Amino acid sequence: MTEQNPVQQDGWSFVLADSLEKVYPDAPPRPFDRTIPMSVFPGETASIQVALRPPMKHDFRLSGPLEVAIDGPAAAFASISQVELVPCSLAAFPQHDDGYDRDAPGLYPDLLRPAPDGLIQPLYGQWTAAWIDLVVPSAENAGDHEFGISVRDAEGRVIFGTTIDVTVLAAQAPELDIVNAHWFHCDGLASHYGVGVFSEEHWSIIDAFMGSAARMGANSLLTPTWTPPLDTAVGGTRLPTQLIGIREDSGYRFDFSKLRRWVGLCVKHGIQYVEIAHLFTQWGAKATPAIYVETAEGLERRFGWDVPSTSPSYRELMAELLPALRSFLAEHWSLDRVIFHISDEPEGAEALAGYQQAKDVVADLLHGLTVVDALSDFEFYRSGAVPTPVVASDALAPFLAAGVKDLWVYYCVAQDTGVANRFISMPSVRNRVLGHQLFALACAGFLHWGFNFYNTAHSLAPVDPFKDTCAGGAFPGGDAFMVYPGPDGVPWESIRYKVFAQAMWDHRALSLLATLAGREEVLALIDSNGSGGSLAMDSFSYDPLHYRRVRELVNQGIAQRVGQTRQRINVSS
């Protein structure tokens, strides 16, 4: 049985597939194109899939899992997961564009369940896949590697075998040179694992998930200085996750010990920026965040939806808290790597007036600091209310026309038509293209609201992400999180996580080649929408091979300019 003759009715079927192919249970996948080489930087992940289907015979019975192995010394560079199906009750909104794999509720490939022993469970009459990650960590091993892949049945017989060639570049990739912000939600971790907020168990879980975010390419995390006033029903609250202790005693006294521990974890994982929780509520800054204060009578919620943004009592707190926070961050972090927010996604004339009133409450306390907010309404920028906007990817036109510098971009549930996104039901190219787009537009940052949001919309209740990928049916599957909460506090990654990481490595490669050869040469490689037009946020190629080809051309350009000579290193048995 070979990959050149992959689909059989009477025997096992195997297809080698690249990481941009989603293996659905009812359709043979697109085979891997060997005419396009595969190369990576040291430390970058090269991913490949072995799709498999049992014999399509009525009397065939499975005798156990299959064992997928990387043969010989190369096994030290490999890890294996099984691609598992997850429920998706909302695959797409009505009247969506044509750029979806499927749009019906159902089971979709997304979860990567670790298989450290290489055991993959086949499914009767269905395709499934082993996902193989290959990471050569050091430039000492630069050169051409051949990895052997074998599949054995329950009796130990080899029923499939192949090899894959991966070149490791001698050059090191530069650090990502944009802010890549992903909102980190501590409440869902405490709820899912049933641990106390900021207990030792919770800190261990936060540590693991923060490391996962960093490996995906995130370099900025939302920091719950107070419980973030995000996706919270009007009048409601989320599970309190407040890092800063506040005590009332002839004024306010502040305890930054938990925040110090948080920034210590950021340093550990290479996180470059901390985003302070929003200073006012979402959708117009009408009210204050839920902030808790220790009093002589105990802990009380002092602020929240019931306290307006212009309340003198809130100004009194901020007048003491923000200078103290500023001093703490200057000593234990760096103020030029701190990002503040006023209110998320304000829109319309009424919201603009409310936003400006709220901003005025704290403007003097934020002087000289970076303040950004996500929005799609150009008037917020034109009026000067938001000098550094984070613009919805489908609302960029007026901002680009105005020549906004250091533009940030975001997408979320609403950016479901014509632009990049990462919904489970979308092809992976709509996820991968982001690296090209951010480079082409010279964006200064990217933001997404949900690295690990495990609640329903408006945080009315927690959800089990393994059973509900749609936040209670409100958001298309996958919008709310990139990782699943695995056992023992270990994050399990998704296909979308892997592909987003690839997009960020693409950006790093593009940036390096631009340094070596000039930006125009790089733009000439990526400036295509696949139909004869130019690359744009709302115009890009859906051909997965385009992204593999472009990346190889970029890598070849880098290798030539750093004088890499190729050495054949056979690490297979």
Side-chain angles (χ1 to χ4, degrees), residues 37 39-41 167 169-172 508-518 521-522 525 548-566:
S39 62
V40 291
F41 288 104
T167 298
L169 302 177
Q172 294 285 352
R508 295 167 71 176
L510 297 172
S511 298
L512 178 56
L513 184 57
T515 300
L516 298 171
E521 181 165 330
V522 179
L525 293 176
R548 289 191 57 213
R549 290 191 191 100
V550 167
R551 181 58 193 275
E552 286 310 306
L553 290 171
V554 170
N555 286 358
Q556 288 174 21
I558 293 169
Q560 291 168 2
R561 286 168 175 82
V562 300
Q564 179 167 3
T565 58
R566 297 207 168 189

Side-chain angles (χ1 to χ4, degrees), residues 232-371:
T232 306
V234 176
T237 58
R238 291 175 64 166
L239 179 67
T241 53
Q242 180 174 309
L243 284 170
I244 299 176
I246 304 175
R247 181 166 56 90
E248 188 176 51
D249 180 15
S250 301
Y252 290 109
R253 301 290 181 267
F254 306 110
D255 179 1
F256 293 109
S257 58
K258 291 186 180 70
L259 182 58
R260 183 178 303 157
R261 187 168 182 176
W262 177 276
V263 299
L265 289 178
C266 289
V267 172
K268 172 184 175 181
H269 295 296
I271 300 297
Q272 297 296 309
Y273 302 88
V274 295
E275 290 180 80
I276 304 304
H278 294 67
L279 288 159
F280 301 93
T281 52
Q282 200 169 15
W283 314 306
K286 293 182 178 180
T288 55
I291 295 180
Y292 292 79
V293 176
E294 187 70 42
T295 70
E297 290 74 35
L299 190 66
E300 72 171 43
R301 182 179 61 77
R302 179 66 57 85
F303 301 95
W305 281 110
D306 53 339
V307 180
S309 57
T310 55
S311 169
S313 63
Y314 189 63
R315 167 64 192 193
E316 291 170 7
L317 171 64
M318 290 295 108
E320 295 191 48
L321 175 54
L322 289 181
L325 176 59
R326 186 173 184 146
S327 295
F328 170 85
L329 291 170
E331 179 180 356
H332 297 281
W333 188 251
S334 177
L335 288 178
D336 62 353
R337 294 187 290 115
V338 179
I339 298 165
F340 283 84
H341 299 287
I342 301 297
S343 175
D344 186 49
E345 293 186 317
E347 186 172 10
E350 181 182 351
L352 175 56
Y355 182 98
Q356 189 61 65
Q357 289 176 349
K359 182 181 177 181
D360 289 345
V361 172
V362 295
D364 61 318
L365 305 173
L366 300 177
H367 179 71
L369 300 175
T370 300
V371 181

Side-chain angles (χ1 to χ4, degrees), residues 65-237:
L66 303 182
E67 181 184 4
V68 177
I70 306 300
D71 300 327
F77 299 139
S79 60
I80 300 172
S81 303
Q82 179 158 6
V83 179
E84 294 206 349
L85 304 174
V86 297
C88 184
S89 61
L90 176 59
F93 290 120
Q95 298 182 319
H96 59 79
D97 62 32
D98 294 331
Y100 287 71
D101 278 347
R102 304 181 179 196
D103 61 4
L107 297 174
Y108 285 73
D110 188 57
L111 170 64
L112 300 179
R113 183 183 294 273
D117 51 9
L119 296 182
I120 302 298
Q121 183 60 53
L123 302 171
Y124 282 114
Q126 301 178 42
W127 289 93
T128 188
W131 183 286
I132 301 172
D133 286 330
L134 305 167
V135 184
V136 177
S138 172
E140 294 177 358
N141 299 114
D144 298 336
H145 296 256
E146 182 182 77
F147 295 85
I149 302 172
S150 64
V151 181
R152 293 172 173 83
D153 64 16
E155 286 71 43
R157 295 179 299 235
V158 176
I159 57 175
F160 176 74
T162 190
T163 60
I164 186 75
D165 295 322
V166 178
T167 298
V168 179
L169 302 177
Q172 294 285 352
E175 293 297 321
L176 190 65
D177 62 0
I178 62 172
V179 181
N180 186 19
H182 291 261
W183 287 354
F184 193 95
H185 301 274
C186 293
D187 58 341
L189 298 178
S191 296
H192 182 84
Y193 289 106
V195 299
V197 172
F198 300 132
S199 63
E200 286 304 312
E201 296 88 349
H202 195 207
W203 277 113
S204 177
I205 295 165
I206 290 170
D207 186 1
F209 277 72
M210 194 180 286
S212 178
R215 290 190 296 275
M216 190 187 73
N219 59 17
S220 178
L221 293 182
L222 184 66
T223 298
T225 43
W226 41 85
T227 304
L230 299 168
D231 223 284
T232 306
V234 176
T237 58

